[in-house]
């Protein structure tokens, strides 16, 4: 299922959601458009505010977006997405083979039963199901270790303030690429590989971008969350973690719908 309480959370963060996300990369859109050659109708599952669908629609494709959040869909409608439906990705309200293609981008980490979502995507499409996923290079083990440690500190500080957190959602961001372990794609095409220097202290600052999300998701007042983040920042600074390089690869994945149902 979707992450617990995801519908009301995304309804409430719709106003500032786009401010916490980068625009789609040109490489991403180009890869999708190239793959869609010969297709006309596209369903984006988890369309959100329409960040991915808008440039695809502008290229002349007939795009339909579905999302569980009514407020996110309102934002997508304001941007000009013509066909929008509120609904559950686990039970899509469309007939079999209704679309040429389905697109699922940065959604898998929000859904528990990805198998059902993929089966539904395969059911309603004729030609292909696509996704864009990010993978951290194997050399990023050090990154994973300190990230896990910082999240542990964050969790402990929350508990000290009287807020008990579960292990789901924000604190358990599953690798989206794990979907390939369940369904092997027929195409896996590299879109972008980026190497950057990371300062672990800056990672703590990222919590500030998500503070309203965490506040709503975990029912932590923002003023208390700020105190928690400040406390985490001080402890991380005292750990002496040195900046290091991290490499992320982004891939376009394509599946044959017949192999999903």
């Amino acid at each position: 299922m979707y992450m617990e309480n995801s519908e009301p959370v995304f309804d409430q963060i719709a106003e500032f959601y786009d401010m916490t996300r980068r625009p789609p990369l040109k490489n991403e859109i180009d890869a999708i458009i190239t793959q869609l050659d010969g297709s006309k109708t596209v369903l984006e599952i988890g369309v959100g505010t329409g960040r991915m669908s808008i440039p695809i629609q502008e290229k002349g494709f007939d795009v339909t977006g579905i999302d569980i959040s009514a407020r996110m869909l309102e934002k997508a409608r304001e941007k000009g997405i013509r066909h929008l439906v509120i609904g559950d990705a686990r039970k899509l309200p469309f007939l079999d083979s209704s679309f040429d293609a389905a697109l699922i981008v940065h959604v898998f980490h929000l859904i528990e039963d990805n198998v059902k979502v993929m089966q539904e995507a395969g059911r309603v499409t004729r030609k292909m199901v696509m996704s864009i996923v990010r993978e951290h290079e194997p050399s990023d083990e050090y990154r994973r270790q300190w990230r896990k440690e910082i999240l542990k500190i964050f969790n402990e500080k929350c508990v000290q303030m009287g807020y008990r957190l579960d292990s789901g959602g924000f604190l358990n961001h599953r690798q989206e690429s794990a979907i390939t372990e369940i369904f092997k794609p027929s195409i896996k095409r590299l879109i972008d590989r980026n190497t950057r220097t990371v300062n672990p202290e800056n990672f703590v600052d990222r919590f500030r971008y998500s503070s309203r999300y965490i506040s709503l998701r975990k029912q932590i007042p923002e003023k208390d969350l700020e105190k928690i983040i400040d406390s985490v920042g001080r402890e991380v600074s005292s750990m002496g973690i040195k900046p290091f390089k991290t490499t992320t690869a982004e891939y376009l994945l394509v599946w044959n719908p017949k192999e999903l149902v």
Side-chain angles (χ1 to χ4, degrees):
M1 62 180 177
Y2 284 99
M3 192 170 55
E4 184 184 0
N5 297 325
S6 63
E7 180 180 355
V9 167
F10 280 98
D11 278 348
Q12 294 178 75
I13 67 173
E15 288 295 328
F16 57 87
Y17 179 82
D18 284 348
M19 292 186 290
T20 68
R21 299 294 185 273
R22 63 160 174 77
L25 297 175
K26 182 179 184 300
N27 287 357
E28 293 174 337
I29 300 302
D30 288 348
I32 292 170
I33 298 302
T34 298
Q35 191 62 42
L36 285 173
D37 185 39
S39 298
K40 178 63 177 176
T41 56
V42 181
L43 171 68
E44 185 179 2
I45 299 171
V47 66
T49 62
R51 295 168 55 253
M52 299 299 295
S53 282
I54 281 292
I56 296 172
Q57 182 176 274
E58 289 175 346
K59 292 293 184 178
F61 293 93
D62 184 4
V63 179
T64 296
I66 185 168
D67 202 279
I68 199 170
S69 167
R71 288 290 294 125
M72 297 286 272
L73 290 177
E74 286 179 19
K75 291 298 179 182
R77 186 171 291 107
E78 290 172 5
K79 293 179 181 179
I81 300 294
R82 290 186 288 271
H83 309 303
L84 294 168
V85 178
I86 188 166
D88 192 325
R90 299 167 298 176
K91 191 175 182 180
L92 296 173
F94 306 109
L95 297 176
D96 294 357
S97 303
S98 293
F99 304 91
D100 289 327
L103 177 65
I104 310 171
V105 179
H106 303 159
V107 171
F108 291 127
H109 67 283
L110 299 174
I111 303 174
E112 293 290 346
D113 48 356
N114 286 321
V115 170
K116 182 61 177 175
V117 174
M118 288 291 282
Q119 289 173 338
E120 277 291 275
R123 178 183 67 80
V124 303
T125 54
R126 293 184 288 269
K127 295 183 177 181
M128 72 191 82
V129 174
M130 297 182 294
S131 183
I132 291 177
V133 301
R134 297 191 188 110
E135 294 182 2
H136 290 284
E137 300 291 297
S139 59
D140 278 356
E141 181 59 32
Y142 180 62
R143 170 194 175 276
R144 283 187 282 272
Q145 289 177 353
W146 67 252
R147 183 180 188 276
K148 182 178 180 180
E149 182 62 26
I150 292 175
L151 290 175
K152 178 183 176 183
I153 294 171
F154 175 77
N155 212 337
E156 290 172 348
K157 299 295 183 182
C158 288
V159 172
Q160 290 172 12
M161 291 282 289
Y163 302 103
R164 292 197 171 275
L165 307 186
D166 58 44
S167 61
F170 186 85
L171 299 184
N172 186 26
H173 194 291
R174 290 177 293 279
Q175 284 275 60
E176 292 210 328
S177 58
I179 193 66
T180 61
E181 299 171 9
I182 306 171
F183 299 100
K184 184 175 177 59
S186 57
I187 297 174
K188 182 177 181 179
R189 181 180 304 144
L190 179 66
I191 298 175
D192 184 67
R193 178 176 277 112
N194 177 265
T195 299
R196 60 194 176 93
T197 300
V198 176
N199 184 334
E201 293 180 18
N202 292 341
F203 179 78
V204 177
D205 289 336
R206 291 181 58 191
F207 284 118
R208 300 186 191 279
Y209 285 99
S210 304
S211 62
R212 293 184 187 176
Y213 171 77
I214 303 171
S215 178
L216 293 166
R217 169 93 168 92
K218 305 296 184 181
Q219 291 78 51
I220 302 176
E222 288 190 39
K223 60 180 180 64
D224 286 350
L225 189 61
E226 278 296 312
K227 293 178 181 178
I228 291 169
I229 293 171
D230 288 342
S231 180
V232 172
R234 288 192 294 271
E235 185 161 340
V236 170
S237 295
S238 69
M239 293 169 65
I241 304 176
K242 297 180 180 180
F244 60 92
K245 293 186 182 298
T246 180
T247 300
T248 303
E250 192 164 55
Y251 295 91
L252 175 71
L253 306 181
V254 183
W255 292 269
N256 182 335
K258 294 183 176 62
E259 297 178 355
L260 301 178
V261 296

